[in-house]
Amino acid sequence: MTLVVSTCQTDLIGTVKNLVQNETVTEVAPSLESQLPGLAELWAQTSGDPRICIAVLDGPVDLTHPSLRDAALTQVNIDEITDSGGPAKSDHGTHVASVIFGSHDGPVKGIAPKCRGLIVPIFRYGANGALEPCTQERLAKAIRVAARFGANVINISGGQFSSRGEASPELQAAIAECGEDVLIVAAAGNNGCDCLHVPGALPSVLAVGAM
C-alpha cells in the first residue's frame, strides 16, 4: 500500500509493502529469477563486488533477518535523536535490502550479495508507532551522508508527485553534488499514472518501477 501521512509540499510518499515477515519472504524468493530476465546469467558471471557500495534509503532494516546474516551492511543514523516510538525495523526496508544483499543460501537470493551495503533510514517512526513521511530536505541530507560514506549506488524507495517534476533547491543540490560518480536510483511510483515523481523525474536520476 502507499503510505501518505502528510500533504506538505515537501513530503515524500513512502511505498510500504508488508512482504518481509519470515514466513512470507520465502514465498517471494523463488520468483525473483523468473521476474528478472538474465539474472541467472548475471549470477553465473558475478554476485557483486565488495568494492561496490550500495546505499538503501528506506525504512529501518532488520539486520538480523536470515536473508541478511552474511551481508556486509552498515547502518547509519542521520538523526541526532532516536525515533520516538515504533519498532526499530520496517518490512519494506528489510525487503529491499534482502532483494539486493540476500545470501544465496538464505530465504532470499539477493541480486548482488557480495556488494557492500549502506543502510540509511529516511522514514522514521512517530510516537504513534507509524512510519512518517520524509521531507526533501531530509532526503538531501541522507544522500549527502550516503555519498560521504562512499556509496557508488543510492537506492531511494520513495518519491513525491510533482506537476513539473521539480525538486526543492536543497535536494537538487545534493543530487548535483554526486555528479557522475554516484548512480541514484529512485522509485517511479506505484500508481501507473501519467505523472511525475520526484526525485525519479530528475534528469540525472534513474527511475524504476516495481518488480
Side-chain angles (χ1 to χ4, degrees), residues 32-72:
L32 186 58
E33 294 173 66
S34 61
Q35 291 182 29
L36 294 178
L39 184 56
E41 290 80 3
L42 174 65
W43 282 339
Q45 299 181 50
T46 181
S47 55
D49 189 315
R51 294 174 295 179
I52 302 299
C53 179
I54 304 173
V56 175
L57 277 54
D58 201 304
V61 171
D62 179 6
L63 300 178
T64 66
H65 192 280
S67 296
L68 301 173
R69 63 175 178 264
D70 296 324

Side-chain angles (χ1 to χ4, degrees), residues 9-94:
Q9 185 64 24
T10 58
D11 278 339
L12 289 174
I13 302 171
T15 304
V16 180
K17 293 182 179 178
N18 296 319
L19 293 180
V20 183
Q21 303 297 336
N22 284 347
E23 70 276 13
T24 307
V25 72
T26 54
E27 299 172 5
V28 179
S31 64
L32 186 58
E33 294 173 66
S34 61
Q35 291 182 29
L36 294 178
L39 184 56
E41 290 80 3
L42 174 65
W43 282 339
Q45 299 181 50
T46 181
S47 55
D49 189 315
R51 294 174 295 179
I52 302 299
C53 179
I54 304 173
V56 175
L57 277 54
D58 201 304
V61 171
D62 179 6
L63 300 178
T64 66
H65 192 280
S67 296
L68 301 173
R69 63 175 178 264
D70 296 324
L73 301 180
T74 301
Q75 184 155 288
V76 179
N77 183 10
I78 64 173
D79 299 307
E80 295 180 359
I81 58 174
T82 57
D83 293 333
S84 55
K89 57 190 178 184
S90 71
D91 286 342
H92 192 271
T94 307

Side-chain angles (χ1 to χ4, degrees), residues 173-200:
I175 292 173
E177 289 166 15
C178 291
E180 297 181 355
D181 296 328
V182 180
L183 173 62
I184 299 178
V185 183
N190 294 339
N191 297 73
C193 58
D194 184 13
C195 51
L196 298 174
H197 213 230
V198 172

Side-chain angles (χ1 to χ4, degrees), residues 52-58 61 73-74 76 96-97 100-101 115-121 142-143 145-157 182-185:
I52 302 299
C53 179
I54 304 173
V56 175
L57 277 54
D58 201 304
V61 171
L73 301 180
T74 301
V76 179
V96 171
I100 299 173
F101 305 110
C115 287
R116 290 181 294 117
L118 183 66
I119 308 302
V120 187
I143 290 173
V145 167
R148 188 166 69 246
F149 273 76
N152 304 105
V153 180
I154 298 176
N155 180 83
I156 301 170
S157 303
V182 180
L183 173 62
I184 299 178
V185 183

Side-chain angles (χ1 to χ4, degrees), residues 99-126:
V99 168
I100 299 173
F101 305 110
S103 171
H104 282 196
D105 60 359
V108 175
K109 295 173 68 174
I111 296 172
K114 291 187 179 179
C115 287
R116 290 181 294 117
L118 183 66
I119 308 302
V120 187
I122 57 173
F123 300 113
R124 297 176 292 187
Y125 284 96

